[in-house]
Amino acid sequence: MSSTSRPPDGRRARRVVRGGRPGGMTPGAVTRARAAAPDRRAAGRGGGERVHPALRLAAGYAWRLLVVGALVYAAFKVLGRFELVAVAVFLGLVVTAVLRPLADLCARALPRPLAVAVALIGSIVVVLGLLALVGSVAASEAGKLVGEFRGGVGRISRWLEQPPFRIRHGTLQGLHERISTFVSAHRGALISRAVSGANRAVEALTGAALALFCSVFFIYGGDRMWLWFHAQLPESARSVWDRGARAAWTTFAGYTRGIIIVAAANATMVGIALFLLRVPLALPLTVLVFFATFIPLIGAPIALAVATVVALAGRGPVIAAAVVVLIVVIGQIEGHVLHPLVMSWAVQLHPVVVAISVIAGSLVAGVIGAIVAVPMVSVVWSVVRTLRSEP
């Protein structure tokens, strides 16, 4: 047997057994090699099964966003079926945010139930008194306003016939006749809409009664209600829920009080200007501006647009132009002075987010959606920011 002959098979087998692993590889290296073998085989087949990490990440976010979107859609469908209850609870929370500090102040000198009753009854008397004043003013000016509107329509027609518009008199007369014909032909539909409006008024009264009922218990024992709900949660989740709920209520209460301050400031400025310009129905228009301001960015301009039409019919184009200037000035004051000073500590949203929220809310649920959208987005963002910042 030569010196270059191979060793017997038994000796080679003993060397393999003695090393335990080919090439002296460690156990971890062997495991990694076996795990990488399928990837190498897939790459050898052309790499058709490989997925880019960015695409894998986008797919992961996509199905999660679909799940979240489905949950949001389901929540809106459920709230849509119980719209009256949802709106009533929302109004109850608004009343609680406004009157809770007053009730706490009265509770220093009175028993808690009596303090809640004083705050609620006193507020109801003030609101009903204001509405009665507005109604009496509108009724007293109704006859005079009809005459002013008739003369105003004639002045507007003559104004449109002059430069730069130069609209022919026959065109305006034909438009007036078509409007009269439309009203006469659709009188039944208009009456049915008025009847349905009466049904909506009954629903509104029902919702207001439910909101008042909820607000009584929220103001009187809202803390105890939250403690009871907090005790029903798993112990591991109580801290997170408590932080999120407190952040949500702080933001909601701050937004509610802030928007009332902004609405009162807007209504005061508009009322003074309309009284100075002697625009008809100045007080009702002032109240309209107050409530319209609860729709951020677009509510006050819409109310002032109505005031512009009234001023155009009752006082002429010069006064109407002055009201248009008032719209611009009030909008600038609201957007650059009042909101940053009053709302910045409670709501930290970019104006673009506010505008998109208002439009999206109005598309989903009309006027109610436009009113609810901004506080809802503010509350959600506040909760997310709090849970991310605190351990």
Side-chain angles (χ1 to χ4, degrees):
M1 184 176 180
S2 64
S3 61
T4 59
S5 61
R6 294 181 301 174
D9 292 342
R11 188 183 305 171
R12 186 171 64 252
R14 283 194 298 271
R15 284 203 300 268
V16 173
V17 173
R18 186 169 53 246
R21 290 172 299 275
M25 297 175 65
T26 62
V30 174
T31 303
R32 288 192 294 271
R34 290 175 179 173
D39 293 339
R40 287 196 295 268
R41 288 194 296 270
R45 291 195 298 268
E49 298 180 3
R50 297 182 63 184
V51 179
H52 195 277
L55 182 58
R56 187 181 297 110
L57 181 64
Y61 275 108
W63 75 261
R64 289 175 174 86
L65 288 175
L66 288 176
V67 172
V68 172
L71 292 176
V72 172
Y73 177 77
F76 271 104
K77 292 294 290 184
V78 171
L79 291 177
R81 297 296 297 270
F82 299 97
E83 179 182 359
L84 181 62
V85 177
V87 172
V89 174
F90 175 80
L91 291 178
L93 293 175
V94 170
V95 174
T96 303
V98 175
L99 297 183
R100 179 64 184 267
L102 179 60
D104 292 341
L105 182 63
C106 295
R108 297 180 181 179
L110 299 173
R112 185 71 183 179
L114 185 58
V116 173
V118 169
L120 283 173
I121 296 175
S123 301
I124 292 174
V125 169
V126 171
V127 172
L128 292 180
L130 179 61
L131 293 178
L133 177 61
V134 171
S136 63
V137 171
S140 63
E141 294 185 1
K144 178 182 177 181
L145 187 62
V146 170
E148 289 182 350
F149 263 88
R150 289 176 180 174
V153 170
R155 289 195 299 270
I156 293 172
S157 300
R158 291 190 296 271
W159 177 54
L160 293 176
E161 293 172 4
Q162 297 174 359
F165 299 100
R166 297 184 181 278
I167 300 177
R168 293 182 300 173
H169 179 73
T171 303
L172 296 175
Q173 187 67 26
L175 179 62
H176 182 269
E177 292 177 356
R178 284 194 293 270
I179 292 175
S180 301
T181 303
F182 176 82
V183 172
S184 300
H186 297 80
R187 184 174 301 172
L190 294 176
I191 293 174
S192 64
R193 289 187 179 182
V195 173
S196 64
N199 294 333
R200 297 291 292 180
V202 173
E203 292 182 0
L205 291 176
T206 304
L210 180 58
L212 182 62
F213 181 78
C214 293
S215 63
V216 170
F217 291 96
F218 291 161
I219 296 174
Y220 177 74
D223 295 337
R224 290 193 294 272
M225 295 172 68
W226 168 247
L227 291 176
W228 177 87
F229 176 79
H230 187 262
Q232 311 308 312
L233 299 172
E235 188 173 356
S236 58
R238 291 177 184 176
S239 176
V240 176
W241 276 79
D242 188 67
R243 294 200 311 270
R246 292 185 185 278
W249 177 249
T250 301
T251 301
F252 181 81
Y255 175 85
T256 303
R257 296 163 190 163
I259 198 66
I260 290 177
I261 295 174
V262 173
N266 276 352
T268 301
M269 291 185 290
V270 169
I272 293 173
L274 294 180
F275 275 110
L276 293 177
L277 294 173
R278 293 187 296 165
V279 176
L281 297 177
L283 183 59
L285 290 174
T286 301
V287 176
L288 177 63
V289 171
F290 174 80
F291 287 107
T293 308
F294 285 90
I295 304 177
L297 298 182
I298 64 174
I302 292 176
L304 287 174
V306 176
T308 303
V309 174
V310 175
L312 181 62
R315 296 283 292 155
V318 177
I319 302 299
V323 177
V324 171
V325 174
L326 180 65
I327 294 176
V328 177
V329 174
I330 294 297
Q332 295 299 315
I333 294 175
E334 178 184 355
H336 295 88
V337 178
L338 294 178
H339 272 283
L341 288 178
V342 178
M343 305 287 289
S344 59
W345 64 275
V347 180
Q348 299 179 3
L349 295 178
H350 195 276
V352 174
V353 178
V354 174
I356 293 176
S357 302
V358 171
I359 299 301
S362 63
L363 292 176
V364 173
V367 177
I368 296 175
I371 296 174
V372 175
V374 176
M376 180 181 297
V377 173
S378 302
V379 166
V380 171
W381 173 240
S382 174
V383 172
V384 172
R385 189 176 65 248
T386 301
L387 296 182
R388 288 174 58 186
S389 61
E390 297 184 10

